[in-house]
Amino acid sequence: MLKLLINRCCTALFVLFGSLLAVFSINYFLPTDVVDSLSASNASNPEIAENLRKELGLNQPFYTQFSHYIIGILHGDFGASAIDGEPVIDKIITQFPATLSLTLTSILIAMIVGLTLGVLAAVHQNTVIDYVARVIGLFGISMPTFWSGILLILIFSISLGWFPAMGSEGFSTLVLPSITLGLVGAGFIVRVVRNSMLEIISENFIQTLRAKGLSERMVIYRHALRNALIPAITIIGVIIGDFLGGTVVIETVFARKGIGRLVADAIIAKDLPIVQGVVFFTAIFYVVINLLVDISYSVIDPRIRRQIGR
Amino acid sequence: MGKPLLNVSELTVDFKTKRGLLTAISNISLTIKPSETVCIVGESGSGKSVTSKAIMRLIDDENGVISKGSIQLEDQDLNLLTKRDLNRIRGKKIAMIFQEPSSAFDPVFTIGDQIVETIVKHLKLSKKEAWQRGIELLKKVGLSEPVIRMKQYPNELSGGMLQRAMIAMALSCNPDLLIADEPTTALDVTIQSQIIELLNSLKKEFHMAVLLITHDLGVAAQLADRIVVMYAGTIVEEGKVEKIFSQPHHPYTSGLLQSIPKLDAKKETKLFSIEGTIPSLSNIPSGCRFHPRCPFATEKCRLESPPLKNIDGQQSACWHTSELINHENKFHDELQLGRTQETIPIQQEVTEQEPLFEVRELSKYYPIKHSHKTIKAVDHVSLKIYKGETFGLVGESGSGKSTFGRTLLQLEKPTDGEVLFDGQSLAAFNHRELRQKRREMQVIFQDPYGSLDPKWTIGSIIAEPLKTHLKKQSRKEILAAVKELMVKVGLEPEWIDRHPHEFSGGQRQRIGIARAMAANPSFVLADEAVSALDVSVQAQIINLLKELQQSSGLTYLFIGHNLNVVRHISDRIGVMYLGKIVEIASSEELFENPLHPYTSGLIKSIPSIETIGTHQIDTLKGEIPSPSDPPSGCAFRTRCPFATELCHKEVPTLKEYQTAHFAACHYAEKRKVD
């Protein structure tokens, strides 16, 4: 297990470095920069703009700028916003919890709905239950979140008035956005769980379990589901990463706080330090999630556990 | 006689399919008395497995329905039980073991967890007591270190060990009836023999009745008191084991018995085979279901289905049984004269002994990940395969015989050593030259389902080698050649546009053979080419291979695990153990006078229909060790009853002890004298 952790930390370093390099390069080689977006609003003259570039270090060569940035991170300094001068880390700390709680509640909803429907669909293959579950899954996958989000607002907020349509204060504001996002994940999970359950149920050992006299409940939930979870966990890891990216739209639709909005605004303003900071934290989050996924594999499947132990 | 334990009467099972109901078995009636062993034999599609699953009502979960009949266990009709009540019987009164031990356990729970689960469910013991009982059971089924085994996961045990564990689990609640569905089919002969021995001793100890399902008449002979023969979903014959084997009352039983290659049969005689194939369930013949394949069929057989009739305690469903018994001699003569006497003209003796393949110190090692060790799959093997002969290669799984075949043809790059083909070293050829040489070396694979592209018509499958190797261009020429090949292997030329899924296993194997023959090879590697086939079909394919050898002067390397079959087809046989050849001799010599203890152990393990009920006990003990960590000295010493200090220290070399009889054993000389 320790070996796995060390291995993962090394990979994480590469992932972080790579993602920072990518974002930095894109920003650097773009024909416009933050000064353009500032001066567009201020309508100031080219001389001032040039001074500003000098001040921000934007006229230095790529490697100098990049190495400064990396050295700064190693000292815990993520720089400051090029627009308002506020430290990046402060901005992220104020915005990140909202995104995190949205992501986690969404994935929870996705897992509960996805696993339940997936198992039910497989156990009752080719019945009404199966069809309903598959249709729900299809909707989850194919409906764009900006549309389904607005639909939910129309029904539950405007018509019924059960939940607030926007904002990010309190639990009630979390309900509609996390359902919107959760349904997307549920759609993927239903499909994967249904398929892997069907595959497992046709395995020989299921017949052995039935021949032992175990109740169908035991056969399905104690044995089959545990085997079917392995592919499901893989997709959950991917979905979480997706959700972090997907919050951009959701946070806009529901007018929520969060790093999705933060980064979207920063990109428009060419506020490079903010973009990089958000990428950095998202990457860390992603690596941690995938580590958790790998650990849960080995908890569920002894074959993987023994391999890691070696 | 007492009351029967299980009484199945007029059982008919249908399966719901997209095209409507399909009747899998009809009017099956059988009884099993307490402590009796009844064996259902039959080929694939005969309905034997469906019968056993119907008794357990496992067909409920496979879209099966019992449309008629009853299954009486003591006083209960299993067909009328609710799921809940049924689950009290399953695993408690009737236990079941299956064919494929490696997939019969849940891979994510330990062996112990799975045994305990059963015990806790039925015997209401505490987990701790159940665990203790589990350990005792594993000890009872002959597993070493049962305490450790309990904590292991299924993938950490070998097939033989898992089948023992499966038996332990089945016995955990003292069932009255054990249903064993092909319990030894997936295992090596040596392990099969150990499992048969185990079942034989356990059924006495536990006083339980056994319902054994098998396609192997040899296994049935070793275990059964009574035999039920099934064909195409019906019972065709039923009776005491000695009677069935000595005087079958149904032509199908008789044919099955004769299809098995006998140890004393002459090699040039054609193997007896039942013509045609088993009908599919959707296309059951009228009248007697066996009539299209029966040499005795008359108009009556075509029109009316014969009922089971009792003659001297033996039941058979054939219109001609009484005539057949009365004319016993005629019956036998007809079968013997009409068919088995047919011989394949023996080829001109292989006198000049010109080698086609000369293998010198061939090795194939596989590296093990994260380790400096290697798996020595093939380890310094030297042998010659002469032109026109069939060289048989036998050994348990893991002995390296298939790897040897692949390395011989350079399908895998050898680690060391040299292969000369017709005097030329194959390693010296570049890619293009090797590809041209490949034309002369073709392969027939074991799995007739996986080795044919399902999307291609059989015409294009057979035509492919013609195009690539023989550069035939004109469509007409190719079409003619394909049709000629199809006739040669016994396929109808009109089937040329059909796809592989429309054919039975035996027919697909014929397609595979036609494809191999299309390149006009001089050498064919047959890797377990008949292992997946039913007995009656297996005999047809062996006869075909022999005929083709005669007509085209082919040389074969025949890899197999069924020793009787390999013996029947081979001129010489090599025995492999852990990557090394331990003995080579002509096939008669090898079977009559084996010099290596491994060879004699293998021979003793063959379940024979000639020794009913007298199971050989002194078969090979233990299992083949892991090739990543072979024993020092003679690799076989860990299982050898004669091993000494010398075997521990020194690796025996392959030496010629008699003319053309080689063995790698320190004590071969002594055994020769014995």
Side-chain angles (χ1 to χ4, degrees):
Chain A
M1 196 55 88
L2 187 70
K3 213 170 145 187
L4 176 80
L5 277 173
I6 294 170
N7 192 342
R8 275 313 136 110
C9 290
C10 295
T11 327
L13 286 180
F14 274 105
V15 171
L16 291 177
F17 185 80
S19 43
L20 284 179
L21 183 64
V23 177
F24 206 95
S25 315
I26 292 170
N27 269 295
Y28 181 84
F29 292 110
L30 276 181
T32 63
D33 58 19
V34 65
V35 177
D36 287 336
S37 37
L38 280 176
S39 47
S41 52
N42 290 359
S44 43
N45 63 29
E47 208 173 299
I48 296 172
E50 209 45 51
N51 281 335
L52 200 55
R53 286 205 173 89
K54 216 175 199 171
E55 204 179 300
L56 290 169
L58 291 178
N59 52 357
Q60 283 167 343
F62 177 76
Y63 60 88
T64 325
Q65 284 190 44
F66 189 60
S67 55
H68 275 185
Y69 181 65
I70 294 289
I71 290 165
I73 287 179
L74 291 177
H75 287 93
D77 173 16
F78 288 88
S81 163
I83 309 281
D84 56 17
E86 200 185 323
V88 171
I89 193 86
D90 291 353
K91 285 208 172 205
I92 290 176
I93 285 172
T94 46
Q95 303 291 338
F96 200 65
T99 303
L100 190 67
S101 52
L102 174 62
T103 307
L104 292 182
T105 19
S106 305
I107 202 74
L108 201 69
I109 290 173
M111 273 162 72
I112 293 170
V113 176
L115 285 175
T116 317
L117 289 183
V119 170
L120 284 177
V123 173
H124 302 279
Q125 194 193 358
N126 295 333
T127 63
V128 179
I129 300 174
D130 186 19
Y131 298 138
V132 170
R134 283 161 71 185
V135 166
I136 294 175
L138 192 67
F139 265 102
I141 290 173
S142 42
M143 273 199 305
T145 46
F146 61 80
W147 186 72
S148 56
I150 288 168
L151 207 66
L152 287 180
I153 290 176
L154 269 175
I155 298 171
F156 293 102
S157 181
I158 295 174
S159 303
L160 298 170
W162 289 357
F163 303 104
M166 49 183 66
S168 41
E169 300 307 316
F171 180 74
S172 60
T173 58
L174 209 55
V175 176
L176 292 183
S178 51
I179 287 177
T180 311
L181 206 51
L183 272 183
V184 179
F188 285 105
I189 296 174
V190 167
R191 290 190 158 198
V192 171
V193 169
R194 179 179 178 272
N195 282 346
S196 64
M197 275 298 275
L198 284 177
E199 207 174 290
I200 297 291
I201 286 174
S202 66
E203 294 262 348
N204 286 339
F205 71 84
I206 294 295
Q207 190 169 275
T208 314
L209 295 169
R210 286 179 178 145
K212 290 204 302 196
L214 294 191
S215 65
E216 200 59 20
R217 218 187 55 226
M218 287 278 272
V219 172
I220 298 298
Y221 293 98
R222 182 171 148 92
H223 289 276
L225 183 57
R226 184 155 165 195
N227 277 280
L229 272 183
I230 294 157
I233 287 171
T234 316
I235 190 124
I236 288 171
V238 177
I239 289 172
I240 293 180
D242 238 37
F243 279 5
L244 278 179
T247 52
V248 180
V249 178
I250 291 290
E251 281 163 7
T252 313
V253 170
F254 288 93
R256 284 177 60 83
K257 284 206 303 198
I259 54 163
R261 291 266 313 273
L262 180 66
V263 80
D265 293 345
I267 288 170
I268 292 163
K270 311 282 180 322
D271 193 349
L272 185 59
I274 300 268
V275 178
Q276 281 162 345
V278 172
V279 166
F280 184 82
F281 276 92
T282 316
I284 287 184
F285 188 69
Y286 199 70
V287 168
V288 170
I289 290 294
N290 275 291
L291 179 65
L292 288 178
V293 165
D294 281 355
I295 291 172
S296 48
Y297 273 154
S298 62
V299 170
I300 289 172
D301 193 339
R303 286 166 293 187
I304 297 170
R305 192 181 319 155
R306 300 268 155 133
Q307 247 170 30
I308 292 170
R310 236 165 251 154
Chain B
M1 278 265 102
K3 246 175 66 180
L5 172 72
L6 182 81
N7 189 359
V8 177
S9 79
E10 302 197 340
L11 185 68
T12 299
V13 171
D14 293 332
F15 281 92
K16 287 180 222 152
T17 67
K18 278 184 185 151
R19 288 186 210 150
L21 286 183
L22 205 60
T23 306
I25 52 172
S26 24
N27 280 320
I28 301 291
S29 298
L30 62 94
T31 57
I32 303 173
K33 295 190 225 24
S35 316
E36 188 188 28
T37 302
V38 175
C39 178
I40 304 182
V41 297
E43 298 177 282
S44 47
S46 64
K48 54 189 193 306
S49 273
V50 174
T51 309
S52 69
K53 284 184 193 167
I55 293 171
M56 283 290 252
R57 292 253 314 267
L58 286 171
I59 50 156
D60 292 13
D61 300 301
E62 296 172 10
N63 288 326
V65 275
I66 296 173
S67 57
K68 204 172 116 238
S70 67
I71 307 158
Q72 204 81 24
L73 180 79
E74 289 172 330
D75 301 325
Q76 281 174 305
D77 189 343
L78 299 185
N79 192 19
L80 303 176
L81 290 184
T82 61
K83 273 247 144 144
R84 242 186 119 94
D85 291 333
L86 190 66
N87 281 337
R88 294 209 185 101
I89 304 236
R90 286 176 174 177
K92 171 83 177 77
K93 296 213 155 201
I94 310 178
M96 194 159 178
I97 56 176
F98 298 93
Q99 174 170 359
E100 193 71 60
S102 51
S103 62
F105 278 104
D106 184 341
V108 303
F109 287 91
T110 60
I111 301 292
D113 283 338
Q114 300 187 52
I115 296 179
V116 165
E117 189 179 47
T118 320
I119 300 175
V120 170
K121 155 102 196 175
H122 293 296
L123 301 184
K124 313 282 178 246
L125 295 183
S126 74
K127 276 209 167 155
K128 219 170 167 187
E129 291 166 317
W131 193 270
Q132 204 52 43
R133 189 175 161 83
I135 293 173
E136 280 157 30
L137 283 162
L138 289 186
K139 211 183 285 169
K140 195 154 262 171
V141 297
L143 275 178
S144 60
E145 302 174 279
V147 180
I148 299 173
R149 301 282 171 261
M150 286 288 278
K151 290 182 206 149
Q152 280 179 310
Y153 288 94
N155 66 317
E156 296 170 311
L157 267 59
S158 71
M161 287 155 91
L162 284 173
Q163 199 59 296
R164 284 175 193 269
M166 187 50 74
I167 293 172
M169 187 159 84
L171 297 182
S172 62
C173 303
N174 290 317
D176 298 327
L177 173 66
L178 175 71
I179 300 178
D181 188 355
E182 302 268 11
T184 62
T185 307
L187 307 172
D188 276 314
V189 269
T190 51
I191 310 301
Q192 164 169 295
S193 158
Q194 294 170 7
I195 297 289
I196 292 174
E197 191 188 321
L198 179 70
L199 284 173
N200 250 333
S201 70
L202 288 174
K203 73 179 191 198
K204 287 184 195 113
E205 191 184 332
F206 283 76
H207 302 293
M208 59 182 177
V210 177
L211 176 64
L212 178 74
I213 316 292
T214 183
H215 71 282
D216 188 332
L217 292 162
V219 172
Q222 311 286 311
L223 277 164
D225 299 320
R226 225 149 32 87
I227 297 220
V228 174
V229 183
M230 284 187 74
Y231 183 79
T234 53
I235 293 179
V236 294
E237 183 159 8
E238 187 261 299
K240 284 226 158 66
V241 61
E242 309 83 30
K243 287 202 169 172
I244 296 261
F245 283 111
S246 60
Q247 173 55 275
H249 284 180
H250 195 283
Y252 175 62
T253 318
S254 158
L256 270 186
L257 286 167
Q258 291 180 74
S259 305
I260 305 168
K262 307 283 183 314
L263 278 174
D264 53 358
K266 289 207 179 61
K267 281 236 298 289
E268 60 271 24
T269 54
K270 204 167 166 178
L271 264 184
F272 176 84
S273 65
I274 306 174
E275 266 172 38
T277 47
I278 302 146
S280 77
L281 291 176
S282 55
N283 197 12
I284 295 279
S286 64
C288 170
R289 297 181 175 194
F290 185 60
H291 86 256
R293 303 176 72 191
C294 183
F296 301 97
T298 58
E299 193 57 31
K300 190 174 188 186
C301 305
R302 247 182 296 284
L303 298 173
E304 282 176 68
S305 156
L308 273 176
K309 270 181 305 190
N310 193 330
I311 298 167
D312 297 337
Q314 191 172 346
Q315 303 198 65
S316 127
C318 175
W319 291 120
H320 304 293
T321 307
S322 44
E323 295 158 53
L324 293 175
I325 304 168
N326 290 338
H327 300 90
E328 198 199 326
N329 293 332
K330 186 188 150 224
F331 176 60
H332 265 261
D333 286 354
E334 204 158 319
L335 282 172
Q336 303 262 296
L337 282 174
R339 290 141 173 275
T340 48
Q341 286 303 78
E342 220 178 302
T343 58
I344 299 165
I346 202 145
Q347 67 189 77
Q348 64 283 20
E349 275 293 313
V350 195
T351 40
E352 59 266 57
Q353 298 271 304
E354 201 186 322
L356 181 67
F357 268 110
E358 192 175 343
V359 180
R360 292 181 187 156
E361 301 281 318
L362 188 69
S363 297
K364 178 71 196 175
Y365 298 165
Y366 295 103
I368 304 174
K369 262 191 184 171
H370 312 299
S371 159
H372 300 297
K373 282 188 195 158
T374 52
I375 290 176
K376 296 181 175 173
V378 177
D379 195 12
H380 293 96
V381 169
S382 298
L383 54 84
K384 286 176 182 160
I385 300 173
Y386 297 110
K387 280 184 183 164
E389 79 166 342
T390 300
F391 188 89
L393 199 55
V394 296
E396 292 163 281
S397 41
S399 62
K401 48 192 198 307
S402 285
T403 311
F404 173 78
R406 288 198 305 270
T407 319
L408 181 79
L409 300 191
Q410 312 285 309
L411 294 172
E412 296 210 31
K413 209 170 147 39
T415 311
D416 199 13
E418 197 178 20
V419 178
L420 300 183
F421 179 75
D422 230 350
Q424 292 168 295
S425 170
L426 287 180
F429 290 129
N430 64 27
H431 252 288
R432 214 156 106 216
E433 291 165 330
L434 191 62
R435 254 182 55 188
Q436 279 164 0
K437 276 283 163 212
R438 285 259 164 77
R439 179 191 69 75
E440 295 181 45
M441 315 167 214
Q442 293 294 312
V443 191
I444 304 167
F445 298 95
Q446 168 172 12
D447 179 8
Y449 293 88
S451 57
L452 301 175
D453 189 327
K455 298 244 157 62
W456 285 35
T457 65
I458 69 165
S460 36
I461 288 173
I462 300 171
E464 195 180 28
L466 290 172
K467 289 178 192 158
T468 53
H469 285 304
L470 301 183
K471 307 280 176 252
K472 292 211 172 176
Q473 292 303 334
S474 90
R475 266 168 173 263
K476 234 178 163 178
E477 225 180 350
I478 290 172
L479 198 68
V482 169
K483 286 194 170 166
E484 194 189 318
L485 280 163
M486 288 178 69
V487 173
K488 214 168 168 184
V489 299
L491 294 167
E492 301 288 333
E494 321 57 290
W495 297 341
I496 193 159
D497 289 322
R498 295 196 186 173
H499 288 86
H501 70 91
E502 296 172 71
F503 293 92
S504 69
Q507 285 170 332
R508 285 174 193 224
Q509 207 55 312
R510 286 176 195 268
I511 300 169
I513 292 171
R515 175 175 58 184
M517 299 306 296
N520 196 15
S522 54
F523 174 82
V524 171
L525 165 64
D527 191 351
E528 301 272 13
V530 298
S531 308
L533 306 175
D534 280 310
V535 193
S536 69
V537 179
Q538 174 177 300
Q540 295 170 0
I541 299 295
I542 292 170
N543 287 339
L544 173 66
L545 285 174
K546 284 188 127 187
E547 277 164 16
L548 289 171
Q549 180 171 43
Q550 294 313 316
S551 59
S552 323
L554 285 170
T555 306
Y556 287 139
L557 173 60
F558 191 90
I559 297 175
H561 69 273
N562 184 328
L563 274 80
N564 278 338
V565 169
V566 177
R567 178 183 183 276
H568 183 86
I569 197 169
S570 307
D571 300 300
R572 289 190 306 139
I573 295 177
V575 182
M576 265 188 108
Y577 189 75
L578 278 179
K580 286 190 160 70
I581 295 275
V582 297
E583 188 159 4
I584 299 180
S586 74
S587 55
E588 289 83 12
E589 169 74 12
L590 190 87
F591 274 74
E592 276 160 29
N593 186 20
L595 290 182
H596 199 285
Y598 180 57
T599 314
S600 46
L602 278 181
I603 295 170
K604 278 182 193 160
S605 304
I606 309 171
S608 162
I609 57 164
E610 281 136 46
T611 55
I612 293 163
T614 53
H615 179 64
Q616 283 275 7
I617 315 215
D618 56 340
T619 54
L620 280 180
K621 301 274 181 282
E623 297 185 13
I624 193 164
S626 158
S628 65
D629 195 15
S632 68
C634 174
F636 183 61
R637 68 172 168 80
T638 48
R639 298 169 76 188
C640 182
F642 311 108
T644 62
E645 197 55 29
L646 178 66
C647 308
H648 189 92
K649 283 185 192 140
E650 221 172 283
V651 183
T653 49
L654 195 68
K655 277 189 282 209
E656 189 167 11
Y657 287 93
Q658 259 154 10
T659 321
H661 190 160
F662 301 83
C665 173
H666 293 302
Y667 300 100
E669 192 68 38
K670 195 168 152 269
R671 289 173 62 84
K672 189 178 96 185
V673 180
D674 294 351

